[in-house]
Amino acid sequence: MLAELPGVEQSEGGDWLALKVRGKGFGYLWERTETVGLKATIEEQMALVAERPEVFEVQFTAGRFGWVVVQLAKIDADELFELVTEAWCLTAPKHLVEAHEGG
């Protein structure tokens, strides 16, 4: 899934795997709890949590972004990829986003 997004870097952070693009984080995977934290807009964070609280929960907010925790066992791969891509788009440099969307 991550191979489809240009410039994605993965690094160990103790109990989690950090997902970054050009050194900026857009997600964190916790294998032990089978969850991923993803960057989103605050509006998207609120909508996801309100819609399906059994799948999504608020992680934190920072500035104009709202991070959301996703229960991996309760989401299908296509929806997860869409959320990962959105998180990546919120973080990646404009030229990478444009190249990805154009290709």
Side-chain angles (χ1 to χ4, degrees):
M1 179 182 298
L2 295 174
E4 294 186 38
L5 300 171
V8 172
E9 307 153 0
Q10 299 178 44
S11 62
E12 294 286 332
D15 290 341
W16 68 89
L17 180 66
L19 309 176
K20 299 179 181 182
V21 58
R22 299 289 167 101
K24 296 181 181 177
F26 67 90
Y28 299 90
L29 172 66
W30 292 275
E31 290 182 2
R32 184 178 52 80
T33 60
E34 298 181 14
T35 59
V36 63
L38 294 171
K39 187 183 217 179
T41 64
I42 291 174
E43 295 80 14
E44 181 74 9
Q45 176 201 52
M46 292 175 8
L48 289 168
V49 172
E51 204 173 277
R52 291 187 299 170
E54 72 281 2
V55 179
F56 305 104
E57 65 184 80
V58 171
Q59 186 173 24
F60 64 91
T61 59
R64 60 180 199 186
F65 300 109
W67 288 70
V68 63
V69 174
V70 182
Q71 300 292 324
L72 294 174
K74 297 179 181 180
I75 190 170
D76 69 43
D78 289 340
E79 184 179 15
L80 179 61
F81 182 65
E82 182 180 320
L83 293 172
V84 169
T85 301
E86 288 175 14
W88 177 86
C89 285
L90 290 171
T91 310
K94 186 177 179 179
H95 74 277
L96 280 182
V97 174
E98 289 172 350
H100 175 70
E101 290 175 348

